[in-house]
Amino acid sequence: MAGLAKYASKQVYWAKDIIFLVTDGGEHGVETWLKSYHGGGGLYVRSGIIQAAVCLELPPAKSYAGMGLFFEGKSGQLPNLDLVNIVQYISRVERIPAYLHGMVDAPRSSTWLEKYKRSAQLLLRQVSSLAIGKSVGVHAPFLRYRIDALTLSGIVRPTDPVSLEYLSTGAAPVMPTPFTIRSIGRTVESTLRSLNNLLEHFHQSFFFYILPANEKYISIGDYIPAAGLMVASLLFQAMHLWWMQGSDDMRSDNPETRIDRINAYYAFLRRTLPNTIGIIARVHLLGVILLIAPIAVPYAVLTNTTSTAYVFTMALASVSMVLHISDTYWIESVRRMVDWKQLKAVVELYVAVVVGCLSVMNFSLAVVLFGVTGLPLVLTRVWTSATKIHRIANVCMLLLASPVCTLVLSRAALGLSPLDFTSSPFRMFLGDFYHFGNLAYPLVCLVYWPVNLLCMIVALMP
C-alpha cells in the first residue's frame, strides 16, 4: 500500500485525487471514516465527491492462486457492472485473475451438469449475501453513499507454507513474493487509471444484475418476471378466497335473491372485517415491540446471550397470543364474527404488496421473504374443511418455517454451532440494522414474524 501510494504520488497523469485509507475494525472503521468525510465528524481535509473505491484484503501467504472479487452490499446494493468488468479484465491481463467470490468457473471440458452446478453455487452465494446482508468485504459502507466499490481478497493455496505457519504458530505475517505484489499493484494501478480517464460516474451499465459465472450476467429484465409470478400466486389465491368467504347462499346465481344476497354480503363484511383487521393489528403490535425493544437499549448492552434469551421470550409470547386468539373464535357465540378465508386473503394481499415493492429494490431479499412467508401462507389450509391431521400438518410446517427455527438453522450457514447460544444471528441482524441500516432486521420483525403467526391462527381457526 505504501509503495503504491509513493508511486502514484510521483505520476503527473492523475486527473483525480487518490485517497489511500487504512482502517481497523473492518466495516465499522470504514463507516466511521465515511461519516467523518461527509461531515459527520472531525475530518477537515476532503477531496470532493468520491467516485469509486477498491478495497484490498491480503491474508499472509507466499503467493496467491488468484483474487476473490466481492461486490455485494447491504440491502441489495450493487456497484455498476462496468467496474466489476474492468477489474476482472485487468486482473486477467496481469495474470492474477479475480474470480467472483473466489470461485473458479467449471472447465470448458466439463459436462453441462457440472457447469450448471457451479453456476448455481455462485448464484446461491450472491443471493444469500444480498438477502441477509452477510459481510463479504469492507466495501459495503461505500455503497451506502452511492460510491461504486468492491473488494479484492487474496485466495490462499491450501499448501502455502507461509499461511500454514501463520495459522499454526501465529508467527509474524510475511509479505507475498515480489511477483505477486507487482501483479496486485499493477491491477490496482490500472483500475485507478481506468477510473481516472472517466469524466463522470459509471451510469450506462447495469445496477441490478445477478452473475452466475465470471463472464456472464443476468439482467433485471430476465429475472424480474419471477417476482411477478410470486406476487400473482398470492393475488390469485387471495381473490379466490375473498370470493369463497361467507356462506354458500351469498354466491347463489338466482336473480330473484340478488338484493338479499348483496345485503347479506355487506352485513357479513361489517361483522367480520373489523375483527380481521383487529387480529392483524394485534399480531403486528407484537412485531413492533420486537423491533423497538432492542433498539431502545444501547447496542453494547444487548449481548449474544441476552439477545438469544430475548428471542425465545418473544417466541413464547407469540405462541401464547396464537393460542389465545385461535381458541377465542372456537366459542360458538363468536364463531360467526370472523372468517379464516377473509383473514388469509387480507394477509396474502399484504405479503403480495411487500414482495412486489421489495423485488425492485432487492430481488434476492424478495425471493427469500416469499420463501419463508408467501409460500407457507399459500400452503396453509389449502383444504376447505380442515381435519385434525391437516391442522397438525399445517402447524408443523409453520413451525419449521418460523423465524426462531430459521435463526437456529442459520447458525450453520454462519459457521456457528446449533448449541452455541453465546453467538446470536439475531444480534448480527440487529447490528447490521443499527450500524448500516440493513433491511433484514425490520422485515423479520414487521413481516416475517407476524405473517408466520397469522398463518398459525388461520390453521387453528374453526
Side-chain angles (χ1 to χ4, degrees), residues 232-245:
S233 64
L234 294 167
L235 292 179
F236 286 146
Q237 191 178 64
M239 289 188 292
H240 171 72
L241 291 172
W242 191 267
W243 170 254
M244 296 300 295
Q245 66 177 337

PDB file of all heavy atoms in Angstrom, residues 232-245:
ATOM      1  N   ALA A 232     -48.272 -12.914  -8.281  1.00  0.00           N
ATOM      2  CA  ALA A 232     -49.517 -13.380  -8.892  1.00  0.00           C
ATOM      3  C   ALA A 232     -50.100 -14.569  -8.150  1.00  0.00           C
ATOM      4  O   ALA A 232     -51.326 -14.683  -8.004  1.00  0.00           O
ATOM      5  CB  ALA A 232     -49.273 -13.737 -10.357  1.00  0.00           C
ATOM      6  N   SER A 233     -49.252 -15.483  -7.674  1.00  0.00           N
ATOM      7  CA  SER A 233     -49.764 -16.642  -6.936  1.00  0.00           C
ATOM      8  C   SER A 233     -50.504 -16.208  -5.671  1.00  0.00           C
ATOM      9  O   SER A 233     -51.537 -16.797  -5.313  1.00  0.00           O
ATOM     10  CB  SER A 233     -48.604 -17.578  -6.575  1.00  0.00           C
ATOM     11  OG  SER A 233     -47.693 -16.943  -5.689  1.00  0.00           O
ATOM     12  N   LEU A 234     -50.002 -15.169  -5.006  1.00  0.00           N
ATOM     13  CA  LEU A 234     -50.679 -14.661  -3.805  1.00  0.00           C
ATOM     14  C   LEU A 234     -51.976 -13.943  -4.164  1.00  0.00           C
ATOM     15  O   LEU A 234     -53.008 -14.126  -3.491  1.00  0.00           O
ATOM     16  CB  LEU A 234     -49.748 -13.719  -3.043  1.00  0.00           C
ATOM     17  CG  LEU A 234     -48.492 -14.348  -2.419  1.00  0.00           C
ATOM     18  CD1 LEU A 234     -47.525 -13.270  -1.974  1.00  0.00           C
ATOM     19  CD2 LEU A 234     -48.864 -15.237  -1.240  1.00  0.00           C
ATOM     20  N   LEU A 235     -51.938 -13.145  -5.216  1.00  0.00           N
ATOM     21  CA  LEU A 235     -53.125 -12.375  -5.583  1.00  0.00           C
ATOM     22  C   LEU A 235     -54.255 -13.273  -6.066  1.00  0.00           C
ATOM     23  O   LEU A 235     -55.425 -13.062  -5.712  1.00  0.00           O
ATOM     24  CB  LEU A 235     -52.757 -11.357  -6.672  1.00  0.00           C
ATOM     25  CG  LEU A 235     -51.821 -10.215  -6.250  1.00  0.00           C
ATOM     26  CD1 LEU A 235     -51.526  -9.317  -7.431  1.00  0.00           C
ATOM     27  CD2 LEU A 235     -52.444  -9.407  -5.118  1.00  0.00           C
ATOM     28  N   PHE A 236     -53.943 -14.279  -6.888  1.00  0.00           N
ATOM     29  CA  PHE A 236     -54.992 -15.160  -7.404  1.00  0.00           C
ATOM     30  C   PHE A 236     -55.657 -15.947  -6.277  1.00  0.00           C
ATOM     31  O   PHE A 236     -56.884 -16.105  -6.254  1.00  0.00           O
ATOM     32  CB  PHE A 236     -54.413 -16.108  -8.452  1.00  0.00           C
ATOM     33  CG  PHE A 236     -54.114 -15.435  -9.757  1.00  0.00           C
ATOM     34  CD1 PHE A 236     -53.034 -15.835 -10.527  1.00  0.00           C
ATOM     35  CD2 PHE A 236     -54.892 -14.392 -10.220  1.00  0.00           C
ATOM     36  CE1 PHE A 236     -52.743 -15.215 -11.729  1.00  0.00           C
ATOM     37  CE2 PHE A 236     -54.615 -13.764 -11.420  1.00  0.00           C
ATOM     38  CZ  PHE A 236     -53.537 -14.178 -12.178  1.00  0.00           C
ATOM     39  N   GLN A 237     -54.850 -16.459  -5.338  1.00  0.00           N
ATOM     40  CA  GLN A 237     -55.468 -17.194  -4.229  1.00  0.00           C
ATOM     41  C   GLN A 237     -56.242 -16.258  -3.323  1.00  0.00           C
ATOM     42  O   GLN A 237     -57.299 -16.638  -2.795  1.00  0.00           O
ATOM     43  CB  GLN A 237     -54.406 -17.944  -3.425  1.00  0.00           C
ATOM     44  CG  GLN A 237     -55.031 -18.936  -2.434  1.00  0.00           C
ATOM     45  CD  GLN A 237     -53.986 -19.711  -1.666  1.00  0.00           C
ATOM     46  OE1 GLN A 237     -53.230 -19.127  -0.901  1.00  0.00           O
ATOM     47  NE2 GLN A 237     -53.952 -21.033  -1.862  1.00  0.00           N
ATOM     48  N   ALA A 238     -55.765 -15.023  -3.147  1.00  0.00           N
ATOM     49  CA  ALA A 238     -56.495 -14.046  -2.329  1.00  0.00           C
ATOM     50  C   ALA A 238     -57.849 -13.719  -2.958  1.00  0.00           C
ATOM     51  O   ALA A 238     -58.874 -13.633  -2.251  1.00  0.00           O
ATOM     52  CB  ALA A 238     -55.660 -12.781  -2.148  1.00  0.00           C
ATOM     53  N   MET A 239     -57.885 -13.550  -4.272  1.00  0.00           N
ATOM     54  CA  MET A 239     -59.160 -13.279  -4.945  1.00  0.00           C
ATOM     55  C   MET A 239     -60.120 -14.458  -4.833  1.00  0.00           C
ATOM     56  O   MET A 239     -61.332 -14.280  -4.620  1.00  0.00           O
ATOM     57  CB  MET A 239     -58.903 -12.925  -6.411  1.00  0.00           C
ATOM     58  CG  MET A 239     -58.269 -11.569  -6.615  1.00  0.00           C
ATOM     59  SD  MET A 239     -58.177 -11.084  -8.360  1.00  0.00           S
ATOM     60  CE  MET A 239     -56.993 -12.274  -8.971  1.00  0.00           C
ATOM     61  N   HIS A 240     -59.583 -15.668  -4.942  1.00  0.00           N
ATOM     62  CA  HIS A 240     -60.433 -16.857  -4.807  1.00  0.00           C
ATOM     63  C   HIS A 240     -61.014 -16.965  -3.403  1.00  0.00           C
ATOM     64  O   HIS A 240     -62.216 -17.241  -3.225  1.00  0.00           O
ATOM     65  CB  HIS A 240     -59.613 -18.105  -5.150  1.00  0.00           C
ATOM     66  CG  HIS A 240     -60.315 -19.392  -4.851  1.00  0.00           C
ATOM     67  ND1 HIS A 240     -61.388 -19.857  -5.602  1.00  0.00           N
ATOM     68  CD2 HIS A 240     -60.128 -20.314  -3.864  1.00  0.00           C
ATOM     69  CE1 HIS A 240     -61.806 -21.005  -5.104  1.00  0.00           C
ATOM     70  NE2 HIS A 240     -61.063 -21.299  -4.044  1.00  0.00           N
ATOM     71  N   LEU A 241     -60.168 -16.752  -2.387  1.00  0.00           N
ATOM     72  CA  LEU A 241     -60.652 -16.842  -1.009  1.00  0.00           C
ATOM     73  C   LEU A 241     -61.652 -15.735  -0.692  1.00  0.00           C
ATOM     74  O   LEU A 241     -62.617 -15.954   0.055  1.00  0.00           O
ATOM     75  CB  LEU A 241     -59.460 -16.765  -0.042  1.00  0.00           C
ATOM     76  CG  LEU A 241     -58.515 -17.972  -0.035  1.00  0.00           C
ATOM     77  CD1 LEU A 241     -57.284 -17.686   0.813  1.00  0.00           C
ATOM     78  CD2 LEU A 241     -59.232 -19.214   0.476  1.00  0.00           C
ATOM     79  N   TRP A 242     -61.427 -14.542  -1.242  1.00  0.00           N
ATOM     80  CA  TRP A 242     -62.375 -13.452  -0.999  1.00  0.00           C
ATOM     81  C   TRP A 242     -63.741 -13.782  -1.606  1.00  0.00           C
ATOM     82  O   TRP A 242     -64.781 -13.422  -1.040  1.00  0.00           O
ATOM     83  CB  TRP A 242     -61.826 -12.156  -1.575  1.00  0.00           C
ATOM     84  CG  TRP A 242     -62.594 -10.940  -1.153  1.00  0.00           C
ATOM     85  CD1 TRP A 242     -63.621 -10.346  -1.812  1.00  0.00           C
ATOM     86  CD2 TRP A 242     -62.416 -10.202   0.058  1.00  0.00           C
ATOM     87  NE1 TRP A 242     -64.095  -9.268  -1.113  1.00  0.00           N
ATOM     88  CE2 TRP A 242     -63.365  -9.148   0.047  1.00  0.00           C
ATOM     89  CE3 TRP A 242     -61.542 -10.303   1.133  1.00  0.00           C
ATOM     90  CZ2 TRP A 242     -63.455  -8.227   1.075  1.00  0.00           C
ATOM     91  CZ3 TRP A 242     -61.638  -9.382   2.151  1.00  0.00           C
ATOM     92  CH2 TRP A 242     -62.589  -8.355   2.122  1.00  0.00           C
ATOM     93  N   TRP A 243     -63.740 -14.438  -2.750  1.00  0.00           N
ATOM     94  CA  TRP A 243     -64.999 -14.832  -3.369  1.00  0.00           C
ATOM     95  C   TRP A 243     -65.679 -15.958  -2.591  1.00  0.00           C
ATOM     96  O   TRP A 243     -66.905 -16.018  -2.508  1.00  0.00           O
ATOM     97  CB  TRP A 243     -64.757 -15.268  -4.806  1.00  0.00           C
ATOM     98  CG  TRP A 243     -65.935 -15.907  -5.469  1.00  0.00           C
ATOM     99  CD1 TRP A 243     -66.108 -17.229  -5.745  1.00  0.00           C
ATOM    100  CD2 TRP A 243     -67.141 -15.263  -5.908  1.00  0.00           C
ATOM    101  NE1 TRP A 243     -67.314 -17.452  -6.340  1.00  0.00           N
ATOM    102  CE2 TRP A 243     -67.974 -16.257  -6.452  1.00  0.00           C
ATOM    103  CE3 TRP A 243     -67.585 -13.945  -5.894  1.00  0.00           C
ATOM    104  CZ2 TRP A 243     -69.225 -15.983  -6.976  1.00  0.00           C
ATOM    105  CZ3 TRP A 243     -68.836 -13.671  -6.427  1.00  0.00           C
ATOM    106  CH2 TRP A 243     -69.633 -14.669  -6.956  1.00  0.00           C
ATOM    107  N   MET A 244     -64.895 -16.845  -1.993  1.00  0.00           N
ATOM    108  CA  MET A 244     -65.436 -18.015  -1.305  1.00  0.00           C
ATOM    109  C   MET A 244     -65.784 -17.745   0.153  1.00  0.00           C
ATOM    110  O   MET A 244     -66.315 -18.634   0.821  1.00  0.00           O
ATOM    111  CB  MET A 244     -64.421 -19.174  -1.361  1.00  0.00           C
ATOM    112  CG  MET A 244     -64.140 -19.688  -2.751  1.00  0.00           C
ATOM    113  SD  MET A 244     -65.609 -20.322  -3.584  1.00  0.00           S
ATOM    114  CE  MET A 244     -65.999 -21.717  -2.532  1.00  0.00           C
ATOM    115  N   GLN A 245     -65.512 -16.559   0.681  1.00  0.00           N
ATOM    116  CA  GLN A 245     -65.807 -16.294   2.085  1.00  0.00           C
ATOM    117  C   GLN A 245     -67.319 -16.229   2.307  1.00  0.00           C
ATOM    118  O   GLN A 245     -68.093 -15.942   1.399  1.00  0.00           O
ATOM    119  CB  GLN A 245     -65.147 -14.989   2.520  1.00  0.00           C
ATOM    120  CG  GLN A 245     -65.718 -13.748   1.840  1.00  0.00           C
ATOM    121  CD  GLN A 245     -65.095 -12.470   2.352  1.00  0.00           C
ATOM    122  OE1 GLN A 245     -64.566 -12.431   3.454  1.00  0.00           O
ATOM    123  NE2 GLN A 245     -65.150 -11.424   1.556  1.00  0.00           N
TER     124      GLN A 245
END
